[in-house]
Amino acid sequence: MLPLDPQADLGRRAWVACPNCDDRQGCDPCARGRTCSTHWRYLLSNTGSLLHLQCPSCTHVWDHETRFGATRSRRERIVDGP
């Protein structure tokens, strides 16, 4: 299990499903797509619409493309993937 990233800040959070654990299973607010006081992720940083996240439950670190707002350039999407 990884330690929390030094950039992890309780004030910067995102509500995205963790691809590593299923800690939102059985949570009514999460099932409805609402923000939940338990099942949030640390927002470590972002590059446009690409979020860099860490799960506080399992400490998994991953990138999540929101495709919302300021997106990365077309070249970055082709090189990095969708």
Side-chain angles (χ1 to χ4, degrees), residues 9-15 36-38 40-43 53:
D9 178 0
L10 188 58
R12 291 177 43 90
R13 297 180 286 175
W15 283 262
C36 168
S37 63
T38 306
W40 49 268
R41 315 300 168 209
Y42 286 109
L43 175 58
L53 304 163

Side-chain angles (χ1 to χ4, degrees), residues 5 8-11 17 28 32 35 55 57 61 70-72 74:
D5 188 281
D9 178 0
L10 188 58
D28 188 50
R32 293 180 179 189
T35 56
C55 177
S57 297
V61 177
T71 58
R72 295 173 292 146
R74 179 166 169 69

Side-chain angles (χ1 to χ4, degrees), residues 21-36:
C21 70
D22 195 13
D23 64 347
R24 300 179 344 154
Q25 182 71 20
C27 177
D28 188 50
C30 290
R32 293 180 179 189
R34 310 283 239 165
T35 56
C36 168

